[in-house]
Amino acid sequence: MFKRFLSLEWKQFSRSSYFEKGLAIKILLILGALYFIACFGVLGVAAFFMIQDGFPNQDPLVVVSNFLIFWFMADLAFRFFMQQLPVMNIKPYMIIPIKRKTVIHYLLGKTTLSFFNILPLFFFLPFSIVLLVQGYPPLNVVSWFFSMLFFTISLNYLNFLLNKNNKFFYVILSILAGLVLLEYFEVYPISESAGTFFYTIYQKWYAVSIPLLLMILLYRRNYKFIRESFYLDDAIRKESQEVSSTNLGFLNRFGDIAPFLKNDVKLIMRNARPKQVMLMSFLFLFYGLIFYTQDTYRDMPAFLAFASIFVTGGFLLSFGQLVPSWDSEYYKLLMSQNIPYRKYLESKWYLMVVAVVVSFILSTPYLYFGYKIYSMIAAGALFNIGLNSFITLYGGVLNRVPVELNVKAKAFSNTQGFNPTQLLIALPKMAGPMLIFYIPYKFINFEAGILTLALSGILGLVFKKFFFNLIEKVYQKGKYKTIAAFDEKK
């Protein structure tokens, strides 16, 4: 039966619009994956000797064990925001004689083959081989390697629960935040205690049963969680909700684009996923504290420019990257109306511009770090308005992943709205301002770098009409492919 599932999903994938994406993007994604695999592999081989040189009086395995807790915490955080969980359309299987447990086991088995599970192995496997070459007991090394494998797969199943149930997310987030605070304020040495635990797993080979048991328990919890919703009535049931009207008359001053702006504001106010994005964009305001409070970054101004983009560009980067996916549930209806596509795009642009301006006003307390930092934030805001906003809209035509607006605990629905193409789109938005600032800074001075960054944003506003004409043509050309891609979720 699993072979039949694989055959059906391959046909679904090969016949979908995603299969028709540009060959160049596919090649870049493959090269990116190979690059990270190579980096992890080299690090796995070199880590033992690097630690041996840096900490000559310590066992390299002990040092690695002390850092494993942070490795797994970072892995879980990266998975939560980046991993797109595999899903399948289960409704057709509910009305034919296929056992529910077969479909559920297949779905969970798919998650195990994720790139996020395979990538860490390219560190742990070479590192384990080096340990064997260096004379470590084979049985202990093998048990330690499989323990790391089981912990990695456990994170995969834990991430499945976090993405599908908000209760799990808040509980785990509270635990992780508590551990970080205990370590940061030196209340309790979490890294040392965790390092002792991981090293004990190496010393006592039979301790491999602990991560194995954890993996099995999380697998069973996922199985139970999915099975509880695996009913046809649950799949087709519609929830009735009381709808309240909102007066947004003040937006009428924007003329023809006012209806679109009202629609976007209501979308943000009434739905779960856009509210999450709003919260995330607010948290971006504090991103500068990571860089501006460290003397190390003051000697690397290019990274300060990178931080300045994020301080005012939180909403633009998080909400803007999912245009037009936010409207996926009614995109076909929207495109069937007698409305100019230009107005639809302008409404998204004005929404992002207003968000950047509000973020800049809220960033005023950064004056505490001096006028240079605040002027860089101002230059970053101009760059976001004049160039990043257009780059974001242009990249939206490549983003054809539908978004479910009300994210709830559904085991078989893809609510991530994320695809790896967005990483490629994000490169010019992040690397561009660093390069624009750094070149004049290197050859002239700091103020020249800020002025160049600000002028690049102003130049983008000057050529606003040209950019909109270009973006409109691209959207018009790919309109029907986008409609077909959004329809696939049904």
Side-chain angles (χ1 to χ4, degrees):
M1 184 54 68
F2 284 4
K3 183 179 179 181
R4 178 63 61 84
F5 285 153
L6 288 172
S7 174
L8 292 174
E9 290 212 49
W10 169 251
K11 290 177 181 178
Q12 180 184 8
F13 170 71
S14 61
R15 296 170 181 175
S16 69
S17 66
Y18 305 111
F19 194 75
E20 300 175 0
K21 284 184 177 180
L23 180 61
I25 292 177
K26 290 187 176 71
I27 294 174
L28 286 174
L29 292 176
I30 293 173
L31 291 176
L34 293 176
Y35 170 77
F36 283 109
I37 288 174
C39 289
F40 274 63
V42 171
L43 182 62
V45 174
F48 183 92
F49 305 102
M50 292 170 61
I51 295 172
Q52 207 171 44
D53 293 338
F55 305 91
N57 299 323
Q58 296 188 44
D59 184 348
L61 185 56
V62 173
V63 177
V64 170
S65 298
N66 289 338
F67 283 96
L68 279 176
I69 182 65
F70 300 109
W71 171 290
F72 289 130
M73 289 171 63
D75 188 6
L76 181 61
F78 190 73
R79 287 171 183 271
F80 180 78
F81 290 106
M82 305 294 290
Q83 185 177 8
Q84 185 173 341
L85 298 177
V87 294
M88 62 187 298
N89 185 5
I90 64 166
K91 291 181 183 179
Y93 300 105
M94 290 181 168
I95 57 176
I96 57 179
I98 297 179
K99 293 182 179 179
R100 286 182 293 176
K101 65 178 183 180
T102 303
V103 180
I104 298 174
H105 284 310
Y106 173 74
L107 177 68
L108 292 175
K110 281 180 61 180
T111 68
T112 309
L113 299 177
S114 169
F115 177 74
F116 292 87
N117 293 334
I118 298 173
L119 185 61
L121 298 183
F122 285 92
F123 170 81
F124 291 121
L125 183 58
F127 186 77
S128 300
I129 294 174
V130 172
L131 292 178
L132 292 173
V133 173
Q134 294 297 318
Y136 284 70
L139 182 61
N140 299 73
V141 172
V142 171
S143 65
W144 182 83
F145 169 75
F146 278 100
S147 297
M148 299 303 103
L149 173 62
F150 294 148
F151 276 126
T152 300
I153 298 176
S154 297
L155 291 178
N156 176 76
Y157 295 137
L158 181 60
N159 183 48
F160 197 101
L161 293 173
L162 293 178
N163 275 273
K164 302 304 178 182
N165 193 320
N166 289 335
K167 293 181 180 179
F168 285 103
F169 170 70
Y170 291 118
V171 169
I172 297 298
L173 180 64
S174 301
I175 293 174
L176 294 180
L179 293 176
V180 171
L181 290 175
L182 289 174
E183 178 75 22
Y184 182 79
F185 291 106
E186 300 181 352
V187 176
Y188 184 77
I190 297 298
S191 59
E192 294 182 12
S193 301
T196 302
F197 168 74
F198 288 118
Y199 191 71
T200 302
I201 292 179
Y202 159 77
Q203 290 179 313
K204 301 177 180 180
W205 64 267
Y206 52 84
V208 68
S209 58
I210 297 175
L212 176 60
L213 180 62
L214 175 64
M215 182 184 70
I216 294 173
L217 289 175
L218 286 172
Y219 184 93
R220 291 180 63 86
R221 183 65 188 89
N222 274 283
Y223 179 88
K224 181 181 178 182
F225 177 74
I226 297 173
R227 190 179 178 90
E228 289 174 352
S229 303
F230 199 97
Y231 294 97
L232 187 60
D233 291 344
D234 186 73
I236 63 176
R237 183 178 58 196
K238 299 292 184 180
E239 294 185 6
S240 59
Q241 296 181 348
E242 184 177 345
V243 180
S244 58
S245 60
T246 306
N247 184 15
L248 299 173
F250 67 93
L251 293 175
N252 291 332
R253 68 187 66 182
F254 289 95
D256 293 338
I257 67 170
F260 300 105
L261 288 174
K262 291 179 181 179
N263 189 54
D264 286 330
V265 172
K266 291 176 182 178
L267 180 144
I268 294 172
M269 295 172 59
R270 296 175 178 177
N271 298 283
R273 183 70 188 277
K275 288 180 181 178
Q276 294 174 1
V277 169
M278 281 290 293
L279 174 62
M280 185 185 299
S281 62
F282 176 76
L283 296 177
F284 270 75
L285 284 169
F286 303 95
Y287 192 84
L289 296 176
I290 301 174
F291 292 86
Y292 303 147
T293 56
Q294 303 293 327
D295 294 334
T296 305
Y297 293 111
R298 290 186 177 272
D299 298 328
M300 296 184 291
F303 285 95
L304 299 182
F306 175 82
S308 301
I309 296 299
F310 275 82
V311 169
T312 59
F315 184 83
L316 182 148
L317 296 172
S318 54
F319 182 89
Q321 71 173 350
L322 293 178
V323 174
S325 293
W326 293 117
D327 306 309
S328 60
E329 296 191 359
Y330 51 88
Y331 193 76
K332 183 185 292 185
L333 173 65
L334 196 63
M335 293 297 103
S336 66
Q337 305 300 307
N338 186 23
I339 53 176
Y341 213 131
R342 174 72 166 266
K343 299 301 179 182
Y344 170 79
L345 294 172
E346 284 184 350
S347 69
K348 305 295 183 184
W349 184 80
Y350 275 107
L351 195 65
M352 291 187 285
V353 168
V354 170
V356 171
V357 172
V358 172
S359 298
F360 175 67
I361 295 172
L362 294 177
S363 68
T364 304
Y366 278 109
L367 280 169
Y368 172 80
F369 297 101
Y371 81 93
K372 287 188 176 181
I373 294 296
Y374 192 67
S375 61
M376 181 172 282
I377 294 175
L382 283 172
F383 181 86
N384 281 329
I385 293 173
L387 285 180
N388 259 356
S389 57
F390 296 115
I391 296 173
T392 301
L393 282 179
Y394 186 86
V397 77
L398 298 176
N399 183 24
R400 299 187 180 118
V401 179
V403 170
E404 282 203 19
L405 297 176
N406 280 303
V407 180
K408 296 185 179 180
K410 299 178 182 178
F412 291 92
S413 59
N414 178 9
T415 57
Q416 293 299 308
F418 174 84
N419 67 83
T421 305
Q422 292 176 14
L423 293 177
L424 300 176
I425 300 171
L427 288 178
K429 292 189 288 186
M430 297 178 184
M434 295 176 66
L435 188 63
I436 292 173
F437 167 82
Y438 183 75
I439 293 176
Y441 160 76
K442 185 68 176 178
F443 292 99
I444 305 177
N445 55 31
F446 186 89
E447 286 74 13
I450 294 177
L451 183 61
T452 304
L453 186 62
L455 287 176
S456 66
I458 296 173
L459 193 64
L461 290 175
V462 171
F463 289 96
K464 172 186 170 184
K465 184 176 180 180
F466 168 79
F467 286 134
F468 265 120
N469 289 336
L470 177 63
I471 294 170
E472 183 182 9
K473 290 179 182 178
V474 175
Y475 270 84
Q476 288 282 12
K477 185 177 179 180
K479 180 170 70 173
Y480 296 104
K481 289 183 179 180
T482 304
I483 292 173
F486 289 161
D487 278 345
E488 286 178 9
K489 68 174 182 174
K490 300 174 183 178

